[in-house]
Amino acid sequence: MWPQDPSRKEVLRFAVSCRILTLMLQALFNAIIPDHHAEAFSPPRLAPSGFVDQLVDGSARPIPEPLVQLAVDKGYRIAEGNEPPWCFWDVPLIYSYIQDVYWNVGFLKYYELRQVPNFLLAAPVAILVVWATWTYVTTHPWLCLTLGLQRSKNNKTLEKPDLGFLSPKVFVYLVHAAVLLLFGGLCMHVQVLTRFLGSSTPIVYWFPAHLLQDQEPLLRSLKTVPWKPLAEDSPPGQKVPRNPIMGLLYRWKTCSPVTRYILGYFLTYWLLGLLLHCNFLPWT
């Protein structure tokens, strides 16, 4: 029988196992795919002949004029002249200038046809937050209209509060997630929405868990009874796992489509992210 609250030893064992598996996979992927020597983070390599600006015996050699002109043509900043506009602002914020000029960050600036692949990359997490918001609002319309200050139109009505994701206590987290999604989808590079929301709000984890609990027939849970597997679904001679997620993976063919989509997305994102991001390949 699966425990409702795992012990500290089980949590520690799970965390250590995940870390060991991650390190093993990263070592394997680094052996298969070269790391490109991390050129983007390496310092510039100075030519031994001294044609670039470098200190030798306490003296600085001048940069050849063609290199200076090349830097100006490419928009690089040099020591003399060509000051950027942000230097003359009343509040000189260099980060805002870099976002606007170099990164093309701004309201609706990322809405271009060539950015369609990035929108597709961010679509799953955006759909999850929108779906979570719609589910919560349709379940507690009056609570949302009153911004969580009043649970029911009739104050005398004693309502039994919902548990889990539909609890009134989740309202503040849902508003936070919706605001982050709105801001990120309109004013940021949309491909960073997954890690932006994944590191900022628990809604992207609570709502999939709510969907699994609510729509997966293989998971049978009661509000006062711990998680329990269905005995008739267990193959003969096979040990039933204590982790409900592992139980669903063992019965992948009999899972509902919603369960397959959720588990498939999270597992695929984890594996591909580990494979690509640690090798300095495009991923977010």
Side-chain angles (χ1 to χ4, degrees), residues 33-47:
I33 301 179
D35 61 359
H36 311 291
H37 306 291
E39 295 288 351
F41 303 98
S42 300
R45 300 175 180 177
L46 304 180

Side-chain angles (χ1 to χ4, degrees), residues 2 23 51 102 115 126 138-139 160-161 163 167 173 175 228 258:
W2 294 322
L23 293 177
F51 287 116
Y102 295 100
Q115 302 297 344
T138 54
T139 304
K160 186 177 180 180
L163 299 178
S167 170
Y173 297 97
V175 173
K228 296 190 298 183
V258 173

Side-chain angles (χ1 to χ4, degrees), residues 139-151:
T139 304
H140 301 294
W142 187 252
L143 177 71
C144 298
L145 287 176
T146 58
L147 300 180
L149 300 178
Q150 190 175 356
R151 297 183 181 180

Side-chain angles (χ1 to χ4, degrees), residues 80-223:
E80 299 178 358
N82 199 21
E83 292 85 359
W86 67 268
C87 293
F88 306 99
W89 293 353
D90 295 334
V91 181
L93 299 177
I94 184 175
Y95 190 69
S96 299
Y97 176 79
I98 292 176
Q99 284 186 315
D100 180 50
V101 176
Y102 295 100
W103 297 348
N104 194 31
V105 173
F107 182 69
L108 298 182
K109 284 189 174 182
Y110 218 61
Y111 283 72
E112 301 174 344
L113 186 60
R114 62 177 181 174
Q115 302 297 344
V116 170
N118 289 324
F119 278 90
L120 295 178
L121 183 63
V125 71
I127 292 175
L128 273 178
V129 176
V130 172
W131 191 358
T133 304
W134 174 257
T135 301
Y136 196 92
V137 170
T138 54
T139 304
H140 301 294
W142 187 252
L143 177 71
C144 298
L145 287 176
T146 58
L147 300 180
L149 300 178
Q150 190 175 356
R151 297 183 181 180
S152 176
K153 292 183 179 181
N154 188 1
N155 294 329
K156 298 181 180 180
T157 302
L158 295 178
E159 289 185 304
K160 186 177 180 180
D162 294 305
L163 299 178
F165 174 75
L166 297 178
S167 170
K169 296 180 180 180
V170 179
F171 176 73
V172 292
Y173 297 97
L174 191 74
V175 173
H176 178 248
V179 171
L180 291 180
L181 175 62
L182 185 64
F183 173 77
L186 297 178
C187 303
M188 293 173 55
H189 290 179
V190 293
Q191 68 266 29
V192 305
L193 272 180
T194 302
R195 59 184 172 93
F196 177 63
L197 293 172
S199 61
S200 304
T201 173
I203 295 297
V204 295
Y205 309 107
W206 288 350
F207 184 64
H210 168 75
L211 290 178
L212 292 179
Q213 181 179 349
D214 185 60
Q215 301 189 23
E216 176 51 56
L218 293 178
L219 293 178
R220 182 179 59 188
S221 66
L222 298 175
K223 296 182 179 179

